[in-house]
Structure formats: structure tokens, C-alpha cells
Amino acid sequence: MKSQARVVVIGGGVVGCSVLYHLTKAGWKDVVLVERDRLTSGSTWHAAGGFHTLNGDPNVAKLQGYTIGLYDELEKISGQACGLHRSGGLILADTPERLEWLKMAHARAKYLGLETEMMSMKEAKALNPLLEEKYFVGAMLDAADGNLDPEGTTHAYAKSARIAGAEIYQNCRVTDLKARADGTWDVITVNGNIHAEHVVNCGGLWAREVGRMVGLELPVLAMEHMYLVTDDMPEVIAYNKERGRELPHIIDFKSEIYMRQERSGIVLGTYEKECKPWQPKQTPWDFGQELLPPDLDRIADHLEIGYRHFPALAKVGIKRVINGPFTFSPDGNPLVGPVQGLKNFWCACAVMAGFSQGGGVGLALSQWMVNGDPGFDVWAMDVSRFGEWATRRYTNEKVRENYARRFSIKFPNEELPGARPQQTTALYDTMIAQGAVMGDSWGLETPLWFAPKGVEPKDVFSFHRSNDFAHVKAEVLGVRNGVGVTEIANFAKYRFTGHGAESFLSRLMTNKMPKVGRLILTPMLNPAGKLIGDFTIANAGNDTFYMWGSSQAQKYHMRWFEQHVPNDGSVNIHRYDMGLVGLSIAGPKSRAVLQKLTDAEVSNAAFKFMDHRAMDIGNVPALINRVTYTGDIGYEIWVAPDYQRRLYQEIMKAGKDEGIINFGMRALLCMRLEKNFPTWYRELRPIYGGFEAGMDRFIDLTKNDFIGREAAMEEKRSGGKLCRVSMIVEAGDADVLGDEPISHKGKVVGWVTSGGFAHFVNKSMAQGYVPKELADDLGKGAFEIEIIGEQRKATIIIDPPFDPKGERMRS
Ligand SMILES: Cc1cc2nc3c(=O)[nH]c(=O)nc-3n(C[C@H](O)[C@H](O)[C@H](O)COP(=O)(O)OP(=O)(O)OC[C@H]3O[C@@H](n4cnc5c(N)ncnc54)[C@H](O)[C@@H]3O)c2cc1C
């Protein structure tokens, strides 16, 4: 065994072997994998081996597509068969809502280049005669679905990695990890130590325990999962004989069953409501290649429905029941990437669909390690997306919720109840008492909209406009015609201090740093010139800068800051988390309200647009920014949490005569839409360049050098490939939600990033990306957007429909 290696990958399941292979493919050969037992001995060996491209996040779907395409390459390199069966798969909808969901998934597949087809039940039955069509209303065929041999596939990765120079040590458990001062690791194993530059946690069922070796409590939990293998079925034998092919896979939303052909029988698995965590506190190290006792009672309800939907199954015997554990994160997507606060420690765990996702995870992680960037938009699986609030019990509740909902559709206005409320501000009860419907924003309860007296504060879930429509409209009009107040505690807030703070920020950000008492808006780019952040920065004087950004990306951003901060002590970075909370007041009467709350003069001359001040508001010491995301005249007021309640009371008192109203996140997001403002994570993501996203005025190529400047200059010169556009949509009773395809002259050319109904201007709006060359086509209805199966005409607009010259916010 080597005593020195560039990388030690811990864990020889399908994920660890994929990471190892991809590292060699990316050019790192001095890499080793250590496995506690033998390869596949975690959850990999007993997997059902199914694969598919469908995923709620289009970027994860793309990586799943990559994984599935990889198997031929692995077989060729390794000479090891993966046991591939590319049989295609049907997803069956039993209700109109589930059919709508399928239509949207099908539309999304068009711009992702995935091969799907909507079908009548007659057509679906012709493809898979086991189903009873009367129970369903429609189906979607996904041509890329299939299954494989888990063991063979894992060995194909391992052999391919070995051929490229990697080494694998089996029966070699890692018992501890010790960090050296230079950021390298001593990997302590039962067979001796390896000094490694990088360590990757691919511990699967033991990923949590490996995390604990370095002081991490990763949000990952194993669940028991059962599938049955039936005896041979005459129906299957006849089908194979007649058609010369296998039955396509099936997912049945109603019974929450998946199934596929296995030899001349069927494999049938469930994601049952009565699901069961496995080893919720500690996975025993001596758990071998073992199965768990079957518990058919737990899945009996699902089987009962399944037997009605697929009557032939009710008549056949069960040959085997497999019950095995595998791991999930709270949202069901993997945990991948470098861990904030630790040097050279990487994760590739909580991969619940190793045979759909393992290849993409390996590719992204290896590129990240070798090139400093995953090369894709991997936000949906980034380990940094969970905050401190994702505790062990939180994870337990969320994983159970997620498992039980594996085949449930999620509506765009549906806020899942598991593990809530987790974090609340001091205003939580006050907001609830005023009819707030709350949503979860990075673990924090945040008002979405307010139900007036007599209206139940509850969303009616739908893909169409819903019961909040009139109330959100009233909030928007209340702000635009008067004044409103909203909670903004869910923003990320940071403070940078020290004599190096300004030059540090200036090196990271594309815009010039503000003068004392002023604010700037600025994107942040990676070296490839892609967007990795979007912030508001205030210069408070005395080498102190405050910064606000997206709450969800706090750890993602902290990781980047820590990676680049000079180690000479010249810059201190503080992430406030909930240590600073805020309220925003906005609308034409907001200045009058603010003036009543302070002795300082707040006229337009004394307190200008994009000014930053520290002042007392009511009795409360606060930081104030003269800017709001509504695009209207308004203010963000930031205070320590102990003052937030008092601040709110003072604002409501001062605003009474002006008719102040509460407004929620949905009204706020609607107002930004009619200003053509982009949002982080939708319009602004690491797949877009700053100029492509239309952030030109915040990118100063003439200032000092900054990360991504060269790439940005090149993008400016070439104009980039894509262009962010705002569109008016001729919608029906449903607006865009995001991820719909945009067509031009009948061809899919782009995709929607976000949208909705813009209430003040009374229009349905969308933002999205199209090829740069098409962004000049301003013809009325020149584009079409597919909304729930219907092509809707869309027209690009250049100026925001509300206050196109920005006079209101500057007035
Ligand atoms: C019943 C069942 C059916 C499934 N069906 C499917 C399916 O159809 N399709 C699909 O894609 N997925 C399926 N899965 C899920 C799939 O098995 C997992 O996604 C996959 O196995 C995850 O692989 P992994 O490498 O992350 O973890 P694991 O397979 O658990 O591998 C982790 C490895 O790390 C090793 N290890 C841990 N700690 C240490 C240490 N300290 N030192 C050294 N080695 C260590 C372990 O021994 C283990 O071999 C199924 C799972 C189950 C249980």
C-alpha cells in the first residue's frame, strides 16, 4: 500500500469508483481508493440497478443523461460488462394534475435534449400490456430508462480507473482523518497510514461517520428500501417472444411503485408512506453484505393498488424480497463538493440513485478538484446548500418526508411541512396573527402572502393561478400606490473589516467598490467569467463593508471567500446568519414613513438612491440602505434581532396614517419581475456569463484586475452565446414557473428561468435565455413558450414595463 497519494477516495461503492475513474480521466493518476470491506459492499450490491434521466432540477437531469451515456465507454475501456438493458420507461399519471406535471417534464426534456414522448393510455398499454388502462389518464415515455448490473458496473468503473493508474485497497477501513497544518491529510487505516493532499468522502452508508472524523455532521440518513422479485410470468415470456424485446419500465404515481422486467419476471419496488430510517444515529462498522428483514406489511397498501393497476402481478408468486438501506439528503439530491471551513476535504455522498447519478457526480467532482470548478451548474447537489439548521433530527424528518414523496408531484406554490417551523424571527407570531402564509427560505420561516380577515391563510396547490392571486395583487398595488413593509431577514448578510477589505472585495467583485456612505450592486465571477454571486455592498467607512446576497448561497459564498482571503490577517469576514435581520419599506409614501421615525433628514437630497447610513429608527439603532428589490422608492432597514419587533411596531405606528400594508415574498418577486430584475439561482447561475445575463452596468472592465476579468473581456468582445431576455406572455390561467422551453419559428431555442404574473402592469411575464442572435427579434409574438402543454405567444421587451427609466426609485 502506498504511504503517499495525491487523493484518497474513501469508499468503494459505485460513487467512489466513479470518482476514482473520473479523477484519472481528468489527468490525476496518483489516486487511490480505500474500501472497508470489498467493492460494492455498502448499498451498491443490492441495488435494483434502474436508471433514468428525470429529475426536478434540469442540471441534475443533464448529469444523469451523462451517466447513462457513459456505460458504453466503461465497457469498452474495462472489458467488463455493465449488464445494460435499455428498455425505456413509462410514467403513468392517474389524475389531471399528475398529467400536467408530466407535460411539463416532457416540455423541459425538449430543451435538455432528452428523448421523451407523451402518450395516450391506449398507446401505453400497447407498449406494456401489464397495465390496466382504466386507472390512468395519460403517460410519458422516457426512451433513456433502463437497468444494469450494479456489481458489474461498479467493477467497470474500478477496472477503468486501475487501467489509468489508480490503485484500490480493499479490506482497508479508514479509522480516522487528521488534518496537517498545510491542509493535507493523514488518512489512518487499519492497514497503515496514507498521507494525502485531498480526501474524498464516498462513504455511502457510512458517509455520516466519515464526516464525523473531521467534525462534520453531514445531513444524510439511510432509509430501508424494499423491492420484490416475482416468479416467471407467462405474460412476460409471451411479450418477449412476440416483440423480441423487454417490457419497458413503469413508474406508477398512484401506487408509488416502480417496476421492470427481471429475467422472465418482474422487479417491483415501492417508496412507501410508512417509511423507515435505518441506523438513525450511527451506522455499525461491522455491517456486512447483509439484507434487512423484509416487512411486507409496510408496503401492503401500495401493493394492493399496484395489483389492481397491474392485475397479472396479483397472480404470480414472489421469489425474493430485498430490503436494504441506502442514503438520502434532506432534499433527495446528492451532497457533492468541497466542504466550507475544511481544506482539501471533499464529499460525494447521499447519492440515492447511484446508477443514474454516479457518473455525473464523479465527473463534476473530479473537474472541481482538478480545475477548481465543476464545469457544470451543480448547485442542486452542492454540499454547501444546507445551513447549520440541517441538524440530525431535521435531516431525519426531511428525509422521511422526501422518501415518502418520491413519486409525488410538488406544486410550485407548495411548501412542504416537514421539520417546520425550524428558524423563526421575533415577528413570526405577529405575522401569523395577521394572516401570513409562511414559506421556508433556507430554514427560515418567511411570509409569502397575507390572507385578509375572513380568508383562510392557506395555499390551494396548483400549476395554475391560485387562491393567492388576488391577495398578492392587492399587496403589489398597496406598495406601488402607497407603502408596504416586508421581512427581509432571509437575505444573506456579511461584514468585511480590516485594511485589506476593500482590495479583497475589489479583487472578487466586478464593480468598483462604493465610496463611504454609498452602495453598489455587483456580480461575482469565477475565472471562466461565469456568475457565481450577486451582491449589494455598502461602504460604512473605517475599513468596514457590509454585504447582502442570496440566503441559500451563504455557505457556497463563504467557501469562495475563505478560499481567496489573504492569510495575513488583513481581512476579517463575518457571516451574520440570523445575527442581523431586516425589514424593508417600499412605495411612494415610504419616505414619509421613514421621516417620522428619525430625526435625521431623509429627503431625496440628503438621503439619495443607493446611499447607506447608520441611524436610529424609532428607538432602534439600524443600518439603512436606500434601495429595494421592488424597484420602487424604498429602504432596507437592518437591525440586531433583539430590536426587530420594536422596529416593526414603530414602522406600523408611523405608517398608519399612510395606510401601510404588509407584503410578502410573492409580491416582492412579482415587483422585481416588472422591473426586469434578475434573481440569483434562476437568472444568475454559473452557467451564464455576466454580459449574457445583462449585468453590463455592474461590470467595470477598466477598474483593477478581478477574478474572471479576462473571460469577461472576451465575452464582451464576442457578445457571448446567450442573452437573458424579459418577455410578455400571452398566457391563459397559468403563468410560467421556470424551466419551460422557448421556441422560435417552431424550434426550441431557449428556456425560461422564472416568471409569473406582474400585477401592477397587469401582464404575464417571463425571463429566460435565448441565443444572442435571436434576442433582437422584437416582433410581437415572435416566440412561443410551452405552458402545461400549450404553446403561448411571447414577445421580448427591452425596457421594464414598470418605471422604465428608473425615476421612481431615484425620486
Ligand atoms: C434496495 C435498494 C434498491 C436500489 N435500487 C436502485 C436503483 O434501481 N437504481 C439506482 O440508481 N440506485 C438504487 N439504489 C441506491 C444505490 O444503491 C445507491 O445510490 C448507491 O449504492 C450509492 O453508492 P455509494 O457508493 O454512494 O454508497 P455505498 O454503496 O454505500 O458505498 C460506500 C462504500 O464506502 C465504504 N466505506 C465507508 N466507510 C469507509 C471507511 N471508513 N473506510 C473505507 N471504506 C469505507 C463502504 O464499505 C462502502 O462500500 C438502491 C438501493 C437499495 C438499498
Side-chain angles (χ1 to χ4, degrees):
M1 189 167 96
K2 283 184 175 181
S3 58
Q4 186 88 28
R6 187 158 199 183
V7 182
V8 171
V9 175
I10 304 174
V14 64
V15 175
C17 292
S18 168
V19 168
L20 191 73
Y21 166 65
H22 281 94
L23 280 170
T24 61
K25 199 173 168 185
W28 282 12
K29 309 288 178 188
D30 180 19
V31 292
V32 305
L33 182 149
V34 286
E35 164 54 44
R36 177 191 64 104
D37 190 343
R38 58 181 209 84
L39 296 184
T40 77
S41 69
S43 55
T44 296
W45 70 279
H46 50 51
F51 56 77
H52 54 88
T53 49
L54 209 65
N55 188 285
D57 183 282
N59 295 291
V60 177
K62 265 190 228 168
L63 286 176
Q64 294 190 178
Y66 165 80
T67 305
I68 294 168
L70 183 68
Y71 294 127
D72 294 329
E73 168 183 322
L74 289 178
E75 286 189 336
K76 214 179 274 171
I77 296 173
S78 65
Q80 161 74 52
C82 295
L84 291 168
H85 299 254
R86 297 193 187 271
S87 44
L90 285 167
I91 306 179
L92 307 177
D94 63 304
T95 63
E97 290 77 20
R98 285 172 170 154
L99 188 60
E100 289 187 336
W101 188 90
L102 284 184
K103 285 181 184 166
M104 289 189 277
H106 172 58
R108 206 161 52 221
K110 289 182 192 167
Y111 82 74
L112 291 172
L114 306 173
E115 225 182 296
T116 58
E117 191 186 329
M118 293 304 295
M119 300 199 147
S120 68
M121 283 319 296
K122 203 164 157 219
E123 291 166 307
K125 170 102 177 166
L127 276 183
N128 193 326
L130 295 188
L131 64 86
E132 188 62 71
E133 30 181 324
K134 70 178 180 196
Y135 293 111
F136 303 101
V137 295
M140 186 179 85
L141 175 71
D142 184 349
D145 278 17
N147 60 280
L148 46 64
D149 163 23
E151 185 119 5
T153 301
T154 307
H155 281 280
Y157 276 120
K159 275 192 188 163
S160 303
R162 278 199 188 107
I163 289 168
E167 293 187 14
I168 294 177
Y169 309 125
Q170 303 191 56
N171 296 306
C172 185
R173 177 157 78 87
V174 174
T175 55
D176 205 0
L177 292 165
K178 293 200 186 312
R180 290 195 185 179
D182 64 356
T184 61
W185 293 92
D186 284 312
V187 180
I188 320 294
T189 84
V190 290
N191 299 334
N193 300 352
I194 310 175
H195 177 220
E197 202 177 311
H198 300 270
V199 168
V200 189
N201 177 1
C202 297
L205 294 177
W206 294 266
R208 192 181 42 182
E209 285 67 25
V210 172
R212 286 177 190 157
M213 292 178 192
V214 297
L216 284 177
E217 187 65 34
L218 289 166
V220 54
L221 176 70
M223 299 292 289
E224 291 193 14
H225 181 68
M226 258 180 288
Y227 66 85
L228 327 174
V229 187
T230 71
D231 289 334
D232 289 355
M233 294 172 64
E235 295 84 352
V236 175
I237 295 166
Y239 181 94
N240 295 159
K241 205 165 150 204
E242 269 167 36
R243 317 272 179 109
R245 51 160 302 183
E246 285 179 312
L247 282 161
H249 289 206
I250 279 188
I251 290 175
D252 171 8
F253 281 148
K254 170 75 176 169
S255 63
E256 318 206 46
I257 279 176
Y258 65 88
M259 67 172 84
R260 67 165 172 84
Q261 184 175 337
E262 167 85 2
R263 297 179 193 276
S264 297
I266 291 287
V267 157
L268 179 163
T270 60
Y271 281 89
E272 64 278 12
K273 295 275 177 258
E274 298 298 316
C275 55
K276 194 170 166 198
W278 180 73
Q279 304 294 356
K281 292 185 182 149
Q282 168 85 36
T283 308
W285 287 110
D286 60 358
F287 182 73
Q289 281 208 346
E290 297 164 48
L291 291 176
L292 310 171
D295 180 5
L296 288 182
D297 284 351
R298 218 168 64 220
I299 63 171
D301 292 351
H302 299 263
L303 291 180
E304 202 178 298
I305 304 172
Y307 288 164
R308 273 205 305 275
H309 289 183
F310 312 96
L313 290 174
K315 297 182 286 180
V316 68
I318 296 170
K319 190 156 63 183
R320 242 181 15 250
V321 180
I322 308 289
N323 185 15
F326 67 121
T327 52
F328 294 78
S329 73
D331 62 11
N333 274 332
L335 299 173
V336 180
V339 174
Q340 189 233 322
L342 290 174
K343 232 177 160 185
N344 298 339
F345 186 85
W346 306 78
C347 277
C349 43
V351 183
M352 63 79 54
F355 299 96
S356 302
Q357 299 175 335
V361 165
L363 176 69
L365 191 77
S366 61
Q367 298 203 13
W368 214 335
M369 294 176 73
V370 173
N371 307 325
D373 188 272
F376 301 91
D377 186 337
V378 294
W379 168 249
M381 22 187 228
D382 194 318
V383 63
S384 72
R385 72 189 183 280
F386 294 104
E388 291 77 5
W389 38 268
T391 58
R392 195 162 76 206
R393 285 199 180 191
Y394 171 93
T395 300
N396 191 306
E397 271 189 62
K398 276 300 195 197
V399 168
R400 279 188 285 123
E401 178 181 68
N402 187 272
Y403 183 99
R405 292 182 50 93
R406 171 92 176 117
F407 292 143
S408 305
I409 53 176
K410 184 173 176 300
F411 292 94
N413 59 345
E414 183 173 7
E415 294 282 329
L416 300 181
R420 289 179 54 206
Q422 178 73 332
Q423 290 182 92
T424 54
T425 69
L427 294 179
Y428 178 73
D429 296 330
T430 310
M431 293 300 178
I432 295 279
Q434 295 183 87
V437 176
M438 290 286 184
D440 168 68
S441 173
W442 213 62
L444 176 72
E445 294 297 314
T446 304
L448 298 174
W449 60 279
F450 289 84
K453 274 206 177 74
V455 173
E456 192 184 7
K458 202 172 163 193
D459 275 312
V460 174
F461 304 144
S462 175
F463 295 116
H464 301 251
R465 290 176 193 154
S466 190
N467 61 322
D468 62 335
F469 190 81
H471 309 301
V472 173
K473 185 178 208 75
E475 289 172 26
V476 169
L477 296 182
V479 173
R480 293 277 192 237
N481 295 326
V483 55
V485 58
T486 192
E487 270 211 275
I488 47 173
N490 59 330
F491 290 17
K493 322 101 195 169
Y494 311 84
R495 188 187 60 217
F496 296 79
T497 50
H499 67 268
E502 179 157 4
S503 56
F504 171 65
L505 286 170
S506 204
R507 166 99 186 105
L508 257 49
M509 306 295 165
T510 62
N511 207 347
K512 253 196 206 110
M513 285 304 111
K515 296 197 171 78
V516 175
R518 295 286 291 162
L519 297 165
I520 55 149
L521 305 179
T522 180
M524 182 167 77
L525 304 179
N526 65 16
K530 302 295 183 196
L531 287 161
I532 55 167
D534 180 43
F535 302 102
T536 305
I537 297 181
N539 185 342
N542 293 325
D543 292 331
T544 299
F545 292 82
Y546 295 100
M547 187 169 93
W548 293 265
S550 157
S551 68
Q552 309 164 64
Q554 300 191 30
K555 292 202 136 199
Y556 171 90
H557 286 141
M558 279 304 284
R559 189 171 63 194
W560 188 256
F561 301 150
E562 285 170 2
Q563 227 173 311
H564 293 90
V565 72
N567 54 12
D568 57 5
S570 61
V571 185
N572 296 305
I573 308 172
H574 176 65
R575 174 167 72 97
Y576 280 100
D577 205 353
M578 292 306 293
L580 192 66
V581 294
L583 290 165
S584 174
I585 54 172
K589 295 181 179 169
S590 58
R591 181 182 291 120
V593 175
L594 185 70
Q595 190 62 81
K596 283 189 200 166
L597 290 164
T598 177
D599 299 335
E601 196 192 327
V602 293
S603 67
N604 197 27
F607 192 29
K608 293 190 285 297
F609 177 61
M610 298 299 277
D611 271 354
H612 165 84
R613 297 275 185 279
M615 47 171 107
D616 290 354
I617 298 296
N619 290 20
V620 175
L623 299 171
I624 307 194
N625 296 336
R626 210 199 119 176
V627 69
T628 86
Y629 200 37
T630 60
D632 218 312
I633 174 171
Y635 308 86
E636 288 174 354
I637 309 171
W638 297 97
V639 294
D642 338 39
Y643 292 118
Q644 196 195 15
R645 200 180 154 86
R646 178 69 192 255
L647 175 68
Y648 180 74
Q649 286 166 349
E650 293 284 343
I651 288 173
M652 292 312 268
K653 214 172 6 166
K656 193 158 183 260
D657 293 343
E658 316 294 341
I660 195 164
I661 58 141
N662 288 302
F663 68 103
M665 284 303 289
R666 289 195 185 149
L668 182 65
L669 288 173
C670 156
M671 286 187 270
R672 70 91 198 177
L673 204 57
E674 51 200 19
K675 283 294 293 175
N676 289 0
F677 289 166
T679 47
W680 173 252
Y681 181 53
R682 298 305 315 182
E683 287 75 36
L684 310 179
R685 295 183 70 132
I687 39 177
Y688 309 120
F691 292 103
E692 290 180 330
M695 306 293 276
D696 311 30
R697 66 184 187 283
F698 309 119
I699 304 175
D700 185 346
L701 295 170
T702 65
K703 68 162 200 151
N704 62 291
D705 196 13
F706 58 85
I707 296 173
R709 180 161 168 262
E710 251 174 61
M713 283 167 94
E714 172 53 29
E715 189 187 300
K716 182 160 190 193
R717 197 194 52 72
S718 71
K721 291 198 179 88
L722 299 171
C723 182
R724 174 171 70 93
V725 291
S726 279
M727 295 175 145
I728 303 290
V729 187
E730 294 172 31
D733 73 336
D735 303 298
V736 300
L737 303 167
D739 299 329
E740 294 85 355
I742 302 176
S743 303
H744 186 258
K745 298 192 173 145
K747 192 169 152 238
V748 174
V749 293
W751 55 89
V752 171
T753 45
S754 72
F757 198 80
H759 286 285
F760 190 71
V761 299
N762 212 29
K763 294 201 164 20
S764 185
M765 290 189 69
Q767 290 194 28
Y769 281 86
V770 297
K772 167 189 76 176
E773 312 75 62
L774 295 179
D776 294 336
D777 188 346
L778 305 181
K780 189 163 165 27
F783 293 83
E784 286 187 323
I785 298 178
E786 186 174 333
I787 303 178
I788 322 181
E790 305 257 346
Q791 296 293 344
R792 299 283 177 182
K793 291 211 175 309
T795 307
I796 291 182
I797 52 164
I798 301 296
D799 291 328
F802 173 73
D803 191 22
K805 296 210 168 75
E807 286 158 351
R808 282 270 288 244
M809 57 191 181
R810 290 184 175 82
S811 62

